[in-house]
Amino acid sequence: MLNPAAASQVYFACGYTDLRKSIDGLAAVVQEQFALNPFSTALFVFCNRKRDKLKILQWDHAGFWLYYRRLERGTFQWPSDGSAPLCLTQRELRWLLDGLSLKQRHAHPVVSPEAVI
């Protein structure tokens, strides 16, 4: 099961990716195009051209997990600018998976441990 809390980072591939690629093809994109280590504890998130499907690649101790999500209606609010991957928070990943924009103007601010007394 997808556990974003276990991931050290969440990287979004801006623009679209050919989702006919499976684990090896997506790991090659991570390594060659993004100059990142696909065997790290990060999540790597990819979206198709129509923005209705995405794949998440995750390394877990002895093998890869490949998660696939398809929307029956609507599209993901996917960032299309730039060629480098965006490093986003797990909170922003949840927003994206729920079909929300990455920039939530009305979201509650993150509570820091120092602010709690």
mmCIF file of all heavy atoms in Angstrom, residues 51-74:
data_model
loop_
_atom_site.group_PDB
_atom_site.id
_atom_site.type_symbol
_atom_site.label_atom_id
_atom_site.label_comp_id
_atom_site.label_asym_id
_atom_site.label_seq_id
_atom_site.Cartn_x
_atom_site.Cartn_y
_atom_site.Cartn_z
ATOM 1 N N ARG A 51 -3.692 13.946 -18.621
ATOM 2 C CA ARG A 51 -3.743 14.228 -17.186
ATOM 3 C C ARG A 51 -4.874 13.490 -16.467
ATOM 4 O O ARG A 51 -5.432 13.979 -15.496
ATOM 5 C CB ARG A 51 -3.840 15.732 -16.931
ATOM 6 C CG ARG A 51 -2.652 16.493 -17.420
ATOM 7 C CD ARG A 51 -2.716 17.939 -17.067
ATOM 8 N NE ARG A 51 -4.075 18.391 -16.860
ATOM 9 C CZ ARG A 51 -4.531 19.574 -17.172
ATOM 10 N NH1 ARG A 51 -3.745 20.457 -17.684
ATOM 11 N NH2 ARG A 51 -5.786 19.904 -16.958
ATOM 12 N N ASP A 52 -5.201 12.289 -16.947
ATOM 13 C CA ASP A 52 -6.221 11.502 -16.272
ATOM 14 C C ASP A 52 -5.657 10.212 -15.683
ATOM 15 O O ASP A 52 -6.384 9.448 -15.052
ATOM 16 C CB ASP A 52 -7.393 11.199 -17.203
ATOM 17 C CG ASP A 52 -7.003 10.348 -18.401
ATOM 18 O OD1 ASP A 52 -5.795 10.238 -18.708
ATOM 19 O OD2 ASP A 52 -7.914 9.812 -19.059
ATOM 20 N N LYS A 53 -4.360 9.996 -15.876
ATOM 21 C CA LYS A 53 -3.699 8.807 -15.322
ATOM 22 C C LYS A 53 -2.359 9.222 -14.739
ATOM 23 O O LYS A 53 -1.703 10.123 -15.237
ATOM 24 C CB LYS A 53 -3.455 7.764 -16.417
ATOM 25 C CG LYS A 53 -4.699 7.263 -17.090
ATOM 26 C CD LYS A 53 -4.340 6.324 -18.227
ATOM 27 C CE LYS A 53 -5.570 5.925 -18.998
ATOM 28 N NZ LYS A 53 -5.881 6.809 -20.085
ATOM 29 N N LEU A 54 -1.960 8.539 -13.670
ATOM 30 C CA LEU A 54 -0.616 8.758 -13.146
ATOM 31 C C LEU A 54 -0.045 7.468 -12.603
ATOM 32 O O LEU A 54 -0.775 6.525 -12.303
ATOM 33 C CB LEU A 54 -0.572 9.883 -12.111
ATOM 34 C CG LEU A 54 -1.354 9.806 -10.816
ATOM 35 C CD1 LEU A 54 -0.665 8.953 -9.767
ATOM 36 C CD2 LEU A 54 -1.503 11.195 -10.267
ATOM 37 N N LYS A 55 1.288 7.449 -12.530
ATOM 38 C CA LYS A 55 2.019 6.329 -11.946
ATOM 39 C C LYS A 55 2.982 6.882 -10.910
ATOM 40 O O LYS A 55 3.549 7.963 -11.087
ATOM 41 C CB LYS A 55 2.816 5.557 -13.005
ATOM 42 C CG LYS A 55 1.958 4.700 -13.907
ATOM 43 C CD LYS A 55 2.806 3.860 -14.850
ATOM 44 C CE LYS A 55 1.935 2.950 -15.697
ATOM 45 N NZ LYS A 55 2.750 2.108 -16.593
ATOM 46 N N ILE A 56 3.148 6.116 -9.845
ATOM 47 C CA ILE A 56 4.086 6.469 -8.783
ATOM 48 C C ILE A 56 5.069 5.317 -8.637
ATOM 49 O O ILE A 56 4.660 4.165 -8.450
ATOM 50 C CB ILE A 56 3.361 6.713 -7.446
ATOM 51 C CG1 ILE A 56 2.333 7.832 -7.599
ATOM 52 C CG2 ILE A 56 4.368 7.034 -6.348
ATOM 53 C CD1 ILE A 56 1.468 8.042 -6.381
ATOM 54 N N LEU A 57 6.342 5.636 -8.728
ATOM 55 C CA LEU A 57 7.410 4.645 -8.592
ATOM 56 C C LEU A 57 8.044 4.783 -7.214
ATOM 57 O O LEU A 57 8.379 5.896 -6.798
ATOM 58 C CB LEU A 57 8.472 4.867 -9.676
ATOM 59 C CG LEU A 57 9.627 3.878 -9.731
ATOM 60 C CD1 LEU A 57 9.130 2.495 -10.142
ATOM 61 C CD2 LEU A 57 10.684 4.372 -10.697
ATOM 62 N N GLN A 58 8.182 3.661 -6.513
ATOM 63 C CA GLN A 58 8.776 3.675 -5.174
ATOM 64 C C GLN A 58 9.637 2.430 -4.984
ATOM 65 O O GLN A 58 9.207 1.318 -5.264
ATOM 66 C CB GLN A 58 7.673 3.706 -4.116
ATOM 67 C CG GLN A 58 8.196 3.710 -2.700
ATOM 68 C CD GLN A 58 7.066 3.677 -1.679
ATOM 69 O OE1 GLN A 58 5.992 3.148 -1.927
ATOM 70 N NE2 GLN A 58 7.329 4.245 -0.526
ATOM 71 N N TRP A 59 10.855 2.642 -4.481
ATOM 72 C CA TRP A 59 11.748 1.540 -4.123
ATOM 73 C C TRP A 59 11.443 1.149 -2.684
ATOM 74 O O TRP A 59 11.300 2.000 -1.803
ATOM 75 C CB TRP A 59 13.201 1.946 -4.261
ATOM 76 C CG TRP A 59 14.155 0.910 -3.763
ATOM 77 C CD1 TRP A 59 14.856 0.920 -2.595
ATOM 78 C CD2 TRP A 59 14.500 -0.317 -4.412
ATOM 79 N NE1 TRP A 59 15.611 -0.201 -2.482
ATOM 80 C CE2 TRP A 59 15.416 -0.992 -3.582
ATOM 81 C CE3 TRP A 59 14.126 -0.911 -5.614
ATOM 82 C CZ2 TRP A 59 15.963 -2.226 -3.913
ATOM 83 C CZ3 TRP A 59 14.674 -2.143 -5.944
ATOM 84 C CH2 TRP A 59 15.578 -2.784 -5.103
ATOM 85 N N ASP A 60 11.353 -0.163 -2.416
ATOM 86 C CA ASP A 60 11.053 -0.636 -1.072
ATOM 87 C C ASP A 60 11.927 -1.836 -0.755
ATOM 88 O O ASP A 60 11.577 -2.962 -1.084
ATOM 89 C CB ASP A 60 9.579 -1.003 -0.957
ATOM 90 C CG ASP A 60 9.181 -1.456 0.424
ATOM 91 O OD1 ASP A 60 9.758 -0.962 1.409
ATOM 92 O OD2 ASP A 60 8.279 -2.312 0.528
ATOM 93 N N HIS A 61 13.059 -1.613 -0.167
ATOM 94 C CA HIS A 61 14.002 -2.620 0.335
ATOM 95 C C HIS A 61 14.545 -3.579 -0.725
ATOM 96 O O HIS A 61 15.722 -3.593 -0.973
ATOM 97 C CB HIS A 61 13.412 -3.410 1.498
ATOM 98 C CG HIS A 61 12.936 -2.553 2.618
ATOM 99 N ND1 HIS A 61 13.790 -1.816 3.409
ATOM 100 C CD2 HIS A 61 11.691 -2.280 3.069
ATOM 101 C CE1 HIS A 61 13.099 -1.154 4.300
ATOM 102 N NE2 HIS A 61 11.813 -1.403 4.119
ATOM 103 N N ALA A 62 13.692 -4.388 -1.336
ATOM 104 C CA ALA A 62 14.194 -5.393 -2.262
ATOM 105 C C ALA A 62 13.529 -5.333 -3.631
ATOM 106 O O ALA A 62 13.752 -6.199 -4.462
ATOM 107 C CB ALA A 62 13.998 -6.784 -1.668
ATOM 108 N N GLY A 63 12.700 -4.324 -3.849
ATOM 109 C CA GLY A 63 12.020 -4.242 -5.131
ATOM 110 C C GLY A 63 11.253 -2.946 -5.278
ATOM 111 O O GLY A 63 11.129 -2.168 -4.342
ATOM 112 N N PHE A 64 10.739 -2.742 -6.482
ATOM 113 C CA PHE A 64 9.982 -1.535 -6.781
ATOM 114 C C PHE A 64 8.489 -1.778 -6.606
ATOM 115 O O PHE A 64 7.993 -2.877 -6.862
ATOM 116 C CB PHE A 64 10.211 -1.093 -8.236
ATOM 117 C CG PHE A 64 11.510 -0.385 -8.453
ATOM 118 C CD1 PHE A 64 12.571 -1.044 -9.036
ATOM 119 C CD2 PHE A 64 11.662 0.949 -8.088
ATOM 120 C CE1 PHE A 64 13.768 -0.390 -9.262
ATOM 121 C CE2 PHE A 64 12.855 1.611 -8.309
ATOM 122 C CZ PHE A 64 13.912 0.935 -8.887
ATOM 123 N N TRP A 65 7.801 -0.736 -6.182
ATOM 124 C CA TRP A 65 6.350 -0.671 -6.229
ATOM 125 C C TRP A 65 5.998 0.274 -7.365
ATOM 126 O O TRP A 65 6.643 1.305 -7.544
ATOM 127 C CB TRP A 65 5.769 -0.088 -4.936
ATOM 128 C CG TRP A 65 5.749 -1.042 -3.791
ATOM 129 C CD1 TRP A 65 6.674 -1.137 -2.800
ATOM 130 C CD2 TRP A 65 4.758 -2.013 -3.507
ATOM 131 N NE1 TRP A 65 6.312 -2.108 -1.916
ATOM 132 C CE2 TRP A 65 5.141 -2.669 -2.326
ATOM 133 C CE3 TRP A 65 3.576 -2.398 -4.145
ATOM 134 C CZ2 TRP A 65 4.379 -3.682 -1.766
ATOM 135 C CZ3 TRP A 65 2.816 -3.415 -3.583
ATOM 136 C CH2 TRP A 65 3.225 -4.049 -2.410
ATOM 137 N N LEU A 66 4.972 -0.063 -8.136
ATOM 138 C CA LEU A 66 4.463 0.809 -9.172
ATOM 139 C C LEU A 66 2.966 0.970 -8.934
ATOM 140 O O LEU A 66 2.199 0.022 -9.064
ATOM 141 C CB LEU A 66 4.723 0.232 -10.565
ATOM 142 C CG LEU A 66 4.335 1.123 -11.734
ATOM 143 C CD1 LEU A 66 5.131 2.428 -11.711
ATOM 144 C CD2 LEU A 66 4.551 0.408 -13.043
ATOM 145 N N TYR A 67 2.569 2.166 -8.548
ATOM 146 C CA TYR A 67 1.168 2.473 -8.278
ATOM 147 C C TYR A 67 0.591 3.166 -9.494
ATOM 148 O O TYR A 67 1.250 3.981 -10.126
ATOM 149 C CB TYR A 67 1.038 3.385 -7.055
ATOM 150 C CG TYR A 67 1.695 2.822 -5.822
ATOM 151 C CD1 TYR A 67 2.971 3.236 -5.460
ATOM 152 C CD2 TYR A 67 1.052 1.886 -5.039
ATOM 153 C CE1 TYR A 67 3.589 2.723 -4.336
ATOM 154 C CE2 TYR A 67 1.663 1.367 -3.901
ATOM 155 C CZ TYR A 67 2.938 1.790 -3.559
ATOM 156 O OH TYR A 67 3.541 1.282 -2.455
ATOM 157 N N TYR A 68 -0.664 2.863 -9.788
ATOM 158 C CA TYR A 68 -1.333 3.415 -10.967
ATOM 159 C C TYR A 68 -2.682 3.969 -10.535
ATOM 160 O O TYR A 68 -3.412 3.312 -9.788
ATOM 161 C CB TYR A 68 -1.516 2.303 -11.996
ATOM 162 C CG TYR A 68 -2.234 2.704 -13.258
ATOM 163 C CD1 TYR A 68 -1.577 3.408 -14.250
ATOM 164 C CD2 TYR A 68 -3.567 2.361 -13.463
ATOM 165 C CE1 TYR A 68 -2.224 3.762 -15.422
ATOM 166 C CE2 TYR A 68 -4.222 2.705 -14.628
ATOM 167 C CZ TYR A 68 -3.546 3.411 -15.596
ATOM 168 O OH TYR A 68 -4.180 3.757 -16.756
ATOM 169 N N ARG A 69 -3.000 5.165 -10.960
ATOM 170 C CA ARG A 69 -4.300 5.755 -10.643
ATOM 171 C C ARG A 69 -4.881 6.354 -11.917
ATOM 172 O O ARG A 69 -4.198 7.070 -12.645
ATOM 173 C CB ARG A 69 -4.161 6.832 -9.580
ATOM 174 C CG ARG A 69 -5.494 7.437 -9.175
ATOM 175 C CD ARG A 69 -5.360 8.201 -7.897
ATOM 176 N NE ARG A 69 -6.574 8.880 -7.566
ATOM 177 C CZ ARG A 69 -7.347 8.545 -6.541
ATOM 178 N NH1 ARG A 69 -7.009 7.546 -5.761
ATOM 179 N NH2 ARG A 69 -8.437 9.224 -6.289
ATOM 180 N N ARG A 70 -6.165 6.035 -12.146
ATOM 181 C CA ARG A 70 -6.871 6.551 -13.316
ATOM 182 C C ARG A 70 -8.148 7.241 -12.855
ATOM 183 O O ARG A 70 -8.908 6.677 -12.066
ATOM 184 C CB ARG A 70 -7.234 5.414 -14.259
ATOM 185 C CG ARG A 70 -7.947 5.889 -15.514
ATOM 186 C CD ARG A 70 -8.332 4.751 -16.393
ATOM 187 N NE ARG A 70 -9.452 4.026 -15.786
ATOM 188 C CZ ARG A 70 -9.877 2.849 -16.195
ATOM 189 N NH1 ARG A 70 -9.272 2.246 -17.185
ATOM 190 N NH2 ARG A 70 -10.892 2.264 -15.617
ATOM 191 N N LEU A 71 -8.363 8.458 -13.335
ATOM 192 C CA LEU A 71 -9.591 9.174 -13.033
ATOM 193 C C LEU A 71 -10.646 8.844 -14.082
ATOM 194 O O LEU A 71 -10.352 8.847 -15.277
ATOM 195 C CB LEU A 71 -9.349 10.689 -13.025
ATOM 196 C CG LEU A 71 -8.395 11.226 -11.964
ATOM 197 C CD1 LEU A 71 -8.230 12.728 -12.134
ATOM 198 C CD2 LEU A 71 -8.904 10.898 -10.576
ATOM 199 N N GLU A 72 -11.835 8.557 -13.649
ATOM 200 C CA GLU A 72 -12.927 8.291 -14.587
ATOM 201 C C GLU A 72 -13.513 9.597 -15.107
ATOM 202 O O GLU A 72 -14.014 9.654 -16.214
ATOM 203 C CB GLU A 72 -14.010 7.455 -13.914
ATOM 204 C CG GLU A 72 -13.547 6.047 -13.566
ATOM 205 C CD GLU A 72 -13.090 5.261 -14.776
ATOM 206 O OE1 GLU A 72 -13.740 5.337 -15.843
ATOM 207 O OE2 GLU A 72 -12.073 4.559 -14.665
ATOM 208 N N ARG A 73 -13.463 10.651 -14.279
ATOM 209 C CA ARG A 73 -13.939 11.974 -14.689
ATOM 210 C C ARG A 73 -12.937 13.004 -14.210
ATOM 211 O O ARG A 73 -12.349 12.867 -13.146
ATOM 212 C CB ARG A 73 -15.291 12.276 -14.065
ATOM 213 C CG ARG A 73 -16.421 11.474 -14.679
ATOM 214 C CD ARG A 73 -17.695 11.811 -14.010
ATOM 215 N NE ARG A 73 -17.581 11.356 -12.608
ATOM 216 C CZ ARG A 73 -18.548 11.317 -11.741
ATOM 217 N NH1 ARG A 73 -19.718 11.756 -12.080
ATOM 218 N NH2 ARG A 73 -18.362 10.871 -10.530
ATOM 219 N N GLY A 74 -12.752 14.043 -14.982
ATOM 220 C CA GLY A 74 -11.862 15.123 -14.586
ATOM 221 C C GLY A 74 -10.405 14.821 -14.896
ATOM 222 O O GLY A 74 -10.072 13.805 -15.522
#
